[in-house]
Amino acid sequence: MYEVLEMLLVIAAVALGLFMVICPQKAVKKECAHDEAQIKKTRVKGACIAVLGIVVVIVFSFNPYM
């Protein structure tokens, strides 16, 4: 049961990271929506979250003890 919950949370983190990459203007505060530096920083953070989440999903799926 806990393995399913862990996987769902990781998939939610990947979805959040992809949202931050695809729509960074909606992922930042309203007053920072026109700041290009903040948008770029959000896009980079989203990519890191998505990549790390995918790595965790791969590690979980190849773990023989789960």
Side-chain angles (χ1 to χ4, degrees), residues 20 24 28 35-47:
M20 290 171 69
V28 296
D35 185 14
E36 287 297 322
Q38 193 72 16
I39 290 172
K40 183 179 179 183
K41 197 182 296 186
T42 302
R43 188 171 274 148
V44 169
K45 288 179 182 179

Side-chain angles (χ1 to χ4, degrees), residues 1-64:
M1 176 65 187
Y2 290 114
E3 293 86 11
V4 174
L5 182 62
E6 288 176 355
M7 190 64 73
L8 288 175
L9 290 175
V10 171
I11 291 171
V14 170
L16 175 66
L18 289 175
F19 173 74
M20 290 171 69
V21 169
I22 295 169
C23 304
Q25 291 87 4
K26 293 183 180 182
V28 296
K29 294 181 182 178
K30 286 186 179 182
E31 56 266 8
C32 298
H34 300 294
D35 185 14
E36 287 297 322
Q38 193 72 16
I39 290 172
K40 183 179 179 183
K41 197 182 296 186
T42 302
R43 188 171 274 148
V44 169
K45 288 179 182 179
C48 291
I49 291 171
V51 168
L52 289 175
I54 291 170
V55 168
V56 170
V57 168
I58 291 170
V59 168
F60 278 173
S61 64
F62 285 123
N63 190 354

